[in-house]
Amino acid sequence: MKVTVNIDCTPEEARAFLGFPDVRPMQERLTQELEERLAANIRAMDPEVMLRTWLPATLKGFEQLQEILMAQMTGAKRE
């Protein structure tokens, strides 16, 4: 036997009937704060600053890669 029950109500009515908390105000505040932070980060993205920040780490990693490759090549010649 199969029983089907159709309930016609809005999501707000269902939430209130089931006793779930209304989190919409919190979601709106968090969304607003997220938008503000994203906008501030986008405004702060200066290509020159980003390059100065990332370039030293990239060059150091490249130098380490060169040293590893050179050590492997010199080690291979000795064998």
Side-chain angles (χ1 to χ4, degrees):
M1 177 165 94
K2 188 190 286 188
V3 176
T4 303
V5 177
N6 292 324
I7 300 174
D8 186 22
C9 65
T10 65
E12 290 81 19
E13 291 171 339
R15 179 196 48 78
F17 177 76
L18 295 172
F20 294 146
D22 185 12
V23 295
R24 183 179 296 163
M26 179 185 65
Q27 287 176 331
E28 290 173 355
R29 286 192 309 268
L30 289 175
T31 303
Q32 180 64 30
E33 184 177 337
L34 179 63
E35 288 177 4
E36 291 170 1
R37 286 184 181 188
L38 284 173
N41 286 336
I42 289 172
R43 284 190 297 271
M45 289 173 74
D46 180 25
E48 185 178 340
V49 173
M50 289 171 50
L51 279 176
R52 273 192 266 127
T53 302
W54 294 344
L55 197 56
T58 305
L59 289 177
K60 183 157 180 70
F62 184 69
E63 290 172 0
Q64 287 175 345
L65 177 63
Q66 283 180 325
E67 290 173 6
I68 291 170
L69 291 175
M70 193 59 110
Q72 287 180 352
M73 288 192 304
T74 56
K77 288 182 181 179
R78 292 181 190 166
E79 292 179 8

